[in-house]
């Protein structure tokens, strides 16, 4: 069943200059779990596009991209 009410945050903060390695299968598994439990999933993505981010973006339906011009 879906989680009732409220706002949930799952976070993991890395320094902006850190290169973090992810596996595509991990992204797919995480997204499936989140979709099973929540009506909406919001991702705060880094400004650098990685294979992990591509996997998440490709699986989004719909996908809305919000940018901050000072970060470009």
């Amino acid at each position: 069943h879906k989680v009732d009410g409220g706002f949930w945050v799952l976070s993991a903060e890395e320094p902006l200059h850190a290169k973090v390695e992810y596996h595509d299968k991990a992204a797919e598994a995480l997204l499936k779990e989140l979709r099973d439990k929540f009506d909406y999933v919001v991702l705060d993505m880094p400004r650098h596009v990685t294979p992990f981010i591509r996997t998440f973006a490709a699986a989004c339906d719909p996908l809305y991209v919000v940018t901050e011009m000072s970060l470009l």
Side-chain angles (χ1 to χ4, degrees):
H1 79 289
K2 300 269 183 176
V3 175
D4 293 328
F7 182 82
W8 295 74
V9 176
L10 172 64
S11 67
E13 187 171 330
E14 299 291 337
L16 290 176
H17 62 279
K19 181 169 171 55
V20 180
E21 297 293 327
Y22 299 101
H23 297 283
D24 288 343
K25 295 295 181 189
E28 293 168 6
L30 176 58
L31 190 54
K32 181 186 181 319
E33 286 295 318
L34 292 171
R35 282 184 166 166
D36 288 347
K37 292 185 176 29
F38 300 97
D39 292 323
Y40 300 96
V41 176
V42 178
L43 305 172
D44 180 11
M45 300 184 297
R47 59 184 166 183
H48 303 290
V49 178
T50 65
F52 186 77
I53 298 305
R54 283 190 188 103
T55 299
F56 265 106
C60 291
D61 182 27
L63 171 65
Y64 301 101
V65 178
V66 179
T67 63
E68 166 75 36
M69 294 304 290
S70 65
L71 297 176
L72 297 177

